[in-house]
Amino acid sequence: MPRIGLAEVTTIKKITITDVAQQAGVSVTTVSLVLSGKGRISPTTVARVNQAIERLGYVRNRQAATLRGGESGVIGLILRDICEPFYAEMTAGLSEVLEAHGKVLFLTQSGRDGKGLMRCFDTLLEHGVDGIVLAGGVRLAEGLKEKAAEQGVPLVCAARSNGLEGVDVVRPDNMQAAKIATEFLIKRGHSQIAYLGGESSSLTRAERLGGFCSTLVQYGLPFRSDWIIECDCHQRSAAEAAEHLLRQHPNISALVCHKASVALGAYFGIVRSGRSIGSEGVDTYYGQQVALIGFGDVPEAELTEPPLTLVSSSAREVGRSAASRLLQRITDAGLPPQNVILPPMLIKRGSA
């Protein structure tokens, strides 16, 4: 028997559902519908897909087979960036509940701008997931709800702000969180309060600003547009923005910060502006103290002096609730959509 040299050995490429779609000249979703036997696909298209499958030698995997009559035990998750603290914590809560029910989480990232959302969605369909959790980035989700319905794949949004219309959403109460934060400062004697952080395109920021401004008005306090400052959520940017704001407007005595990371950055900005962090109400003698309060929670908040006060809507609980709702929808697809809003909680540590 002749020996085969290393140079003669070739790697056999695994044929994927994407290859089949390209060969047949249809979308990945269409191929998946043909494999599952679902949807309204014309006999001509079905024949073309099956011909492509035979021509390429595509193996109909276990996940595709489960679509025809059972569950795969896999739940898909699409988020923009796992490094985002809120969504990292949310993912942990989601996984806790799913694992307790014998499910496995298949995590995908669509990127910070969310442009890979549909690619992630098609990948999850290819693997025959039982349901999908969409964590944020819904602005680029046009057509996703309809595709999920065509496939018979339940969809739940777990987000900081609004989700997709007609789809279950689990989210924190951003407006109420801002009301709690602002009222907390006002009741400690502050009347010159600014809002720091976030970008104008953020729905979460818009909701928090709504709560911030309405609370100022409720207590008869004016709000100034030049005291509402945009910046990204990196600590360096927040420090620079806080320092600049306080040097321009030294009468500001308190900052409501868009995220915990913004509050941490603002902490250093306050120090760099020559002022200190207030721990008990307003410093009426020199007016040198500035109170801080932010949204979310991070371990580093306990390391500042004094520790940061925060208003938190438990991201882990958002994940748990989203998992529970998705499991319900897998069992009963006819359930009406729900908008689950989780209440915030004040974590008082002493920096406001």
Side-chain angles (χ1 to χ4, degrees), residues 29-324:
T29 300
T30 298
V31 176
S32 189
L33 287 170
V34 171
L35 290 171
S36 67
K38 297 179 179 180
R40 298 178 181 177
I41 308 299
S42 70
T44 302
T45 300
V46 171
R48 190 160 73 245
V49 170
N50 284 326
Q51 288 172 5
I53 289 172
E54 296 301 323
R55 190 178 303 119
L56 295 175
Y58 174 73
V59 177
R60 301 175 187 243
N61 58 25
R62 180 182 68 84
Q63 288 86 0
T66 60
L67 286 171
R68 291 190 293 273
E71 295 182 1
S72 66
V74 180
I75 299 297
L77 170 62
I78 305 176
L79 45 72
R80 288 187 293 184
D81 186 359
I82 189 62
C83 293
E84 180 74 28
F86 179 90
Y87 288 115
E89 190 73 10
M90 184 277 298
T91 300
L94 186 72
S95 183
E96 284 177 8
V97 174
L98 293 177
E99 288 180 5
H101 287 79
K103 303 287 187 181
V104 176
L105 191 63
F106 188 139
L107 188 153
T108 62
Q109 292 189 114
S110 61
R112 285 188 175 274
D113 57 7
K115 290 182 178 179
L117 177 63
M118 298 309 295
R119 170 184 51 78
C120 292
F121 181 75
D122 287 339
T123 298
L124 294 175
L125 292 184
E126 179 179 344
H127 285 79
V129 296
D130 296 334
I132 295 175
V133 176
L134 177 61
V138 298
R139 284 175 293 177
L140 298 176
E142 184 178 354
L144 189 146
K145 170 187 168 184
E146 290 73 21
K147 291 180 72 173
E150 287 176 1
Q151 285 277 40
V153 176
L155 186 65
V156 170
C157 292
R160 280 186 177 160
S161 54
N162 292 328
L164 292 174
E165 185 178 353
V167 173
D168 291 309
V169 60
V170 181
R171 65 185 185 90
D173 192 336
N174 291 309
M175 181 171 285
Q176 182 62 24
K179 287 181 177 180
I180 289 173
T182 310
E183 188 172 58
F184 179 76
L185 293 172
I186 293 171
K187 288 187 174 181
R188 295 172 75 84
H190 296 281
S191 59
Q192 307 292 318
I193 308 171
Y195 189 99
L196 179 67
E199 299 174 350
S200 59
S201 60
S202 168
L203 291 175
T204 299
R205 183 176 186 265
E207 291 177 354
R208 288 176 180 165
L209 278 177
F212 171 71
C213 294
S214 65
T215 306
L216 291 179
V217 171
Q218 177 187 341
Y219 282 88
L221 300 176
F223 63 88
R224 296 174 50 175
S225 59
D226 55 340
W227 287 11
I228 298 176
I229 307 300
E230 282 190 57
C231 72
D232 65 42
C233 295
H234 295 100
Q235 291 186 35
R236 180 184 295 275
S237 300
E240 292 172 350
E243 180 182 6
H244 180 72
L245 176 65
L246 293 173
R247 289 192 185 280
Q248 281 200 322
H249 305 283
N251 54 325
I252 291 174
S253 69
L255 297 176
V256 175
C257 297
H258 183 63
K259 284 187 181 181
S261 59
V262 173
L264 287 167
Y267 177 94
F268 295 105
I270 290 169
V271 173
R272 279 161 41 177
S273 72
R275 301 171 72 175
S276 59
I277 314 300
S279 59
E280 290 297 334
V282 180
D283 185 321
T284 58
Y285 188 68
Y286 289 112
Q288 290 299 303
Q289 290 190 337
V290 179
L292 272 179
I293 192 166
F295 301 105
D297 195 16
V298 291
E300 294 85 353
E302 298 182 2
L303 302 179
T304 60
E305 183 54 46
L308 292 177
T309 294
L310 298 167
V311 177
S312 175
S313 297
S314 174
R316 190 174 290 256
E317 189 57 38
V318 170
R320 293 190 186 112
S321 297
S324 297

